[in-house]
Amino acid sequence: MRNVGALNWHKSCYVPTKFDALVVAFRRWLNKYGGAQVDWSGKYTGELPPTPPREQLFDRYWTHTVGCSSCSAAYKRLNALVIALQVVSIASTAAVATAKHGGISIAARYSVAVLSFLASKWLSHFIHKTFICHDYDHAFR
């Protein structure tokens, strides 16, 4: 923004979503009534504050999921499914361990437990990425 100037902030920022409407309205108000800057009366040196951690920058849970009824409901239901898959994994492991050894192979007996466990881990990762925080640094992936 320093390069294009405070009055031309829209040339340095891309704000395409409806969530950015308040930022755009504030910048327009600031340009109209404040001359594109805040009068800090010598209290501001021009240096930017330190950048917050990436988790805080890309926080979806508190900025969206909590307030959105459909995302909040999906978040709760998917977390319940994760717990159910973990219970199935533990219960099937216990059932196989206590069952008599028959003609079924060991791999077949433990497949339900392993698949339930893997599904719960994948779903936990999906929930975190979708509803809590998703890092958008695609250059390093």
Side-chain angles (χ1 to χ4, degrees):
M1 284 186 55
R2 284 184 183 172
N3 294 338
V4 296
L7 286 172
N8 296 321
W9 65 269
H10 56 279
K11 291 182 180 178
S12 67
C13 301
Y14 181 61
V15 286
T17 67
K18 65 180 181 179
F19 293 107
D20 298 322
L22 292 176
V23 173
V24 172
F26 171 74
R27 295 301 304 191
R28 286 183 182 153
W29 176 85
L30 188 61
N31 286 349
K32 184 176 180 180
Y33 296 107
Q37 59 185 342
V38 177
D39 181 19
W40 296 102
S41 301
K43 296 178 183 175
Y44 180 63
T45 63
E47 292 300 314
L48 297 174
T51 303
R54 296 185 74 79
E55 287 279 330
Q56 185 179 356
L57 283 174
F58 297 118
D59 177 32
R60 284 188 184 165
Y61 184 75
W62 292 109
T63 58
H64 178 78
T65 304
V66 170
C68 178
S69 60
S70 61
C71 288
S72 179
Y75 177 75
K76 289 175 186 173
R77 289 183 184 127
L78 288 174
N79 274 324
L81 182 59
V82 167
I83 292 170
L85 286 169
Q86 290 171 350
V87 167
V88 166
S89 177
I90 292 169
S92 61
T93 301
V96 168
T98 59
K100 294 182 180 180
H101 298 289
I104 300 175
S105 69
I106 293 173
R109 285 187 270 158
Y110 284 106
S111 63
V112 172
V114 171
L115 289 176
S116 297
F117 176 75
L118 291 176
S120 74
K121 293 310 267 181
W122 178 85
L123 190 56
S124 293
H125 176 71
F126 174 79
I127 290 169
H128 183 78
K129 184 176 75 170
T130 305
F131 297 106
I132 297 176
C133 177
H134 182 64
D135 192 354
Y136 289 98
D137 191 5
H138 300 294
F140 299 111
R141 303 218 179 221

